[in-house]
Every structure is written in structure tokens, then in C-alpha cells.
Amino acid sequence: MKKLRIYVDMDGVIADFDKAKNRLFKSKQGRPDLYVDYLHLDIIPGAEEAMSYLNEHHEVFIASTPPWSRIQVWADKRAWLERWFPDLKRKLILTHRKDLLIGDVLIDDSCYRGQPNFKGNWIWFGDKNYPRVIDWKDCLEIIKNMENEKI
């Protein structure tokens, strides 16, 4: 089996940004990315097991877009990653242009940072998207099918 190069977004894919946003913005309007505490985000259910599998069998990088006006978030993302996925702490890429990444798979929950133009396979993660992959179970099924095609 050939190893795939896989990029995984943080917020909404492995870090539960929506949970923090919903707690903070029950009655507020605006951009939650300017207020959410990125350092203390919960982990998305299934992400630990899925990332363990991906990291064992493939070349995995984290590709995330911090709010550029909050410099501290850059460090918070790195610290969060070290807490939950210490093996990936040196594999963090911060970018607004995910279409510039070179690899086989991009797993991301949004479509407005170049994801649709990624040259590999873009897996649109989360239950609010269509076509969509609802959770990590579905996502791993797609990856395992790709593994079988790469033999």
C-alpha cells in the first residue's frame, strides 16, 4: 500500500470549533473566530482514533487557517495540537490557500479557502455540507477505499 499525503483541517474537523462558537454566540452576531478560545477547544468525536490510524499508515499534516488579526491564535493552535496530537506538532501548516498544498487528500469542513481547487481528493467534512462526509467513521471508509486503489 502506497502512503497517502493527507492534510487535515483543525477547526470543525479535529477541534470542535462549533461547540465553542455555540456556547459563546447564543445571542451574539459577528465573527466567532475573533472571540473563540482556540487553546481550549474540545476534540471532535472519533478524531483521536482516526488520526492515530492516519498517522500510522500515511503522511499526515495539519492545515489550518487562523484568524490573521489574532496572532495569539497561531500559538494556541500549535499548543492545542501538542496537547491532543503530540506526534503532529511539527506538522502544522497555517495557510489561507489550501489549493496550494500538494498531496493526495485534503479533509476540510469549509469550501472558501481554495479547497474545491485542491489537486488531490477533497473530502468535505461535517454534517452541514453537501456532498458530505458526516463524521470520522465515514471519512476513514473513504480513505481505506483510496488505500485499496493505490496498491
Side-chain angles (χ1 to χ4, degrees), residues 3 5 9 27 48 55 72 75 81 96 130 133-134 151:
K3 283 190 171 197
R5 179 176 291 163
D9 180 41
S27 61
E48 282 183 283
N55 203 30
Q72 181 59 42
L81 196 59
H96 264 45
Y130 183 83
V133 171
I134 293 175
I151 296 176

Side-chain angles (χ1 to χ4, degrees), residues 17-29:
F17 180 84
D18 285 342
K19 184 176 179 182
K21 174 186 76 173
N22 292 339
R23 274 194 310 252
L24 185 64
F25 272 71
K26 288 181 181 172
S27 61
K28 293 183 184 179
Q29 301 252 343

Side-chain angles (χ1 to χ4, degrees), residues 25 51 54 59 71 91 102 104-105 108 135 144 148:
F25 272 71
M51 293 300 290
L54 293 178
E59 184 181 20
I71 303 286
K91 293 185 166 194
I102 298 169
D104 300 296
V105 179
D108 205 309
D135 56 23
K144 288 177 181 181
N148 293 332

Side-chain angles (χ1 to χ4, degrees), residues 87-105:
D87 293 343
L88 297 172
K89 67 183 178 190
R90 295 184 62 127
K91 293 185 166 194
L92 174 61
I93 300 167
L94 300 177
T95 181
H96 264 45
R97 292 283 312 274
K98 295 185 180 176
D99 57 317
L100 298 178
L101 300 170
I102 298 169
D104 300 296
V105 179

Side-chain angles (χ1 to χ4, degrees), residues 70-86:
R70 293 181 64 198
I71 303 286
Q72 181 59 42
V73 172
W74 299 33
D76 290 349
K77 284 179 174 279
R78 162 58 176 79
W80 187 93
L81 196 59
E82 184 169 5
R83 174 182 174 207
W84 289 103
F85 303 103

